[in-house]
Amino acid sequence: MLKSTTCLAAALSALVATSAAAEGELNLYSSRHYDTDERLYTDFEDATGIKINRIEGKADELIARMEAEGANSPADVMLTVDTSRLARAKDAGILQAIDSEILEDRVPANLQDTDNQWFGFSQRGRIIFYNKENVATPPATYADLAKPEYKGLVCIRSSTNVYNQTLLASIITHEGVDAAKSWAAGIVANMARDPQGGDTDQLRGIVSGECDIAVSNTYYFARSIRKDVKGLSADRDMISWVFPNQDSYGAHMNLSGGGVAAHAPNKENAILFLEYLASDKAQQYFSSGNDEYPAVPSVELAESVATLGEFKADGVNLSEVAKNIPEAQKIFNEVGWK
């Protein structure tokens, strides 16, 4: 059973009384680059009196920095985007296992590290978008996307993109290395152009006519529903979407999450902050503020996200997927995915 919000509030209140012992602060290393996260931080500070000191940067840079700092690192929490980066942080030895009944109960098991070193707090479906005027029969599965009938139609990001790395790692997990390599080679053959830009640029490719099919995370499209996105929102009605593999394992989900730093000087505050991110209030803001799917299943979706409709999400354990990321990168290189 999920921990109640009341229980979480009690935990927050309990630490306020003892926060002085932890110097009343939290040192956050974050590669999440969303302005809307500001409210997450200020709400936590208001509820606890704990001051958040932020260091922001690219994920790999932060991981390298924490490695270099070693036992002298001031970091208490690391937040980042995608399972691959969470796994990289764990493998680098910069996170530690923690014990939290709240996190164990609220965050689904497949969105947690098996050793409790990281937890997922928001999700994005990596799905198929298409020009509904030009594509009468869109791909229904990830495997379909590699079929010859879609040759020259697909816009997708580069092989260095972590979202694609984790997607291919999930295909390895479900279907094996040979099937994953065949799929990757098929996608390369079906590309409308060399990989370029971010996910929004793949969607803009449909609008501009460069491609009829694109692979993107859901929140990039949902954002164009909530507010104006140049080159996308005005022509959004020409685009439809498919949540792949609904008759099998479900749509692949990217994860945003975090963990407690290995040498956290304010460990209690760090755990409390992660527990706060799993609260209903914070989970709702991940959805309403950044168009993501909450990690906690009971939390209501923002209107922009709910517009995409109900679907079956892949329930695979993302810790297992993370193990296949190095193999995924090897496959990308072998098939010539730029």
Side-chain angles (χ1 to χ4, degrees):
M1 180 180 296
L2 297 178
K3 290 283 184 182
S4 67
T5 304
T6 301
C7 181
L8 181 58
L12 286 167
S13 299
L15 195 78
V16 172
T18 60
S19 60
E23 299 182 347
E25 64 181 11
L26 172 80
N27 300 314
L28 172 65
Y29 283 32
S30 176
S31 68
R32 280 181 62 94
H33 53 269
Y34 314 112
D35 293 339
T36 51
D37 284 358
E38 186 70 31
R39 182 174 167 184
L40 290 170
Y41 308 140
T42 56
D43 282 359
F44 177 79
E45 289 178 327
D46 291 344
T48 64
I50 297 169
K51 182 178 183 296
I52 296 179
N53 306 310
R54 275 182 286 164
I55 293 178
E56 298 180 341
K58 295 181 179 180
D60 289 342
E61 294 171 354
L62 293 177
I63 291 171
R65 175 172 178 160
M66 291 173 70
E67 285 185 284
E69 291 170 341
N72 295 319
S73 177
D76 292 310
V77 169
M78 180 178 183
L79 291 182
T80 190
V81 174
D82 195 76
T83 308
S84 64
R85 289 169 174 150
L86 292 166
R88 202 173 303 160
K90 178 183 177 181
D91 291 344
I94 62 172
L95 302 179
Q96 63 173 291
I98 61 171
D99 183 16
S100 167
E101 290 186 13
I102 290 173
L103 292 174
E104 286 285 340
D105 287 351
R106 289 187 66 81
V107 179
N110 68 305
L111 306 184
Q112 302 179 24
D113 172 50
T114 51
D115 298 320
N116 286 357
Q117 290 198 28
W118 53 258
F119 295 82
F121 297 109
S122 62
Q123 303 178 86
R124 307 90 174 266
R126 190 150 191 78
I127 68 170
I128 298 168
F129 294 87
Y130 64 97
N131 184 331
K132 62 186 180 184
E133 297 173 2
N134 295 344
V135 181
T137 308
T141 67
Y142 295 109
D144 286 349
L145 195 63
K147 288 182 175 180
E149 65 196 81
Y150 301 114
K151 185 175 179 63
L153 300 184
V154 179
C155 280
I156 192 167
R157 290 175 73 166
S158 72
S159 62
T160 60
N161 173 245
V162 291
Y163 302 146
N164 283 342
Q165 291 172 4
T166 307
L167 172 59
L168 184 55
S170 75
I171 293 173
I172 295 171
T173 305
H174 285 296
E175 302 179 25
V177 172
D178 290 344
K181 186 174 181 179
S182 177
W183 179 82
I187 297 298
V188 172
N190 286 352
M191 288 181 183
R193 63 186 185 191
D194 286 343
Q196 57 186 263
D199 275 17
T200 304
D201 296 305
Q202 314 315 309
L203 296 168
R204 288 181 178 133
I206 297 177
V207 173
S208 68
E210 292 180 85
C211 50
D212 283 327
I213 299 172
V215 176
S216 171
N217 283 355
T218 48
Y219 81 123
Y220 292 97
F221 188 79
R223 182 182 301 162
S224 75
I225 298 173
R226 178 171 57 87
K227 65 179 185 178
D228 183 58
V229 175
K230 185 178 180 180
L232 180 56
S233 293
D235 297 290
R236 191 185 64 245
D237 288 346
M238 69 184 288
I239 300 175
S240 192
W241 54 91
V242 172
F243 286 95
N245 295 73
Q246 295 303 282
D247 292 331
S248 56
Y249 50 79
H252 172 67
M253 305 298 287
N254 280 122
L255 194 64
S256 179
V260 176
H263 306 287
N266 304 297
K267 182 178 178 180
E268 286 187 348
N269 291 1
I271 294 173
L272 187 68
F273 178 69
L274 295 187
E275 291 175 342
Y276 157 75
L277 293 181
S279 70
D280 283 358
K281 185 175 183 179
Q283 287 287 295
Q284 286 168 353
Y285 200 68
F286 278 119
S287 191
S288 63
N290 202 45
D291 308 290
E292 298 175 270
Y293 290 96
V296 177
S298 60
V299 175
E300 185 177 357
L301 299 179
E303 183 178 352
S304 61
V305 182
T307 298
L308 298 177
E310 296 183 358
F311 67 99
K312 177 182 177 181
D314 190 351
V316 68
N317 189 306
L318 292 180
S319 288
E320 296 302 312
V321 170
K323 295 176 183 177
N324 289 319
I325 290 170
E327 184 66 39
Q329 188 60 67
K330 180 181 176 182
I331 289 173
F332 280 135
N333 295 336
E334 290 177 352
V335 302
W337 189 318
K338 295 179 181 180

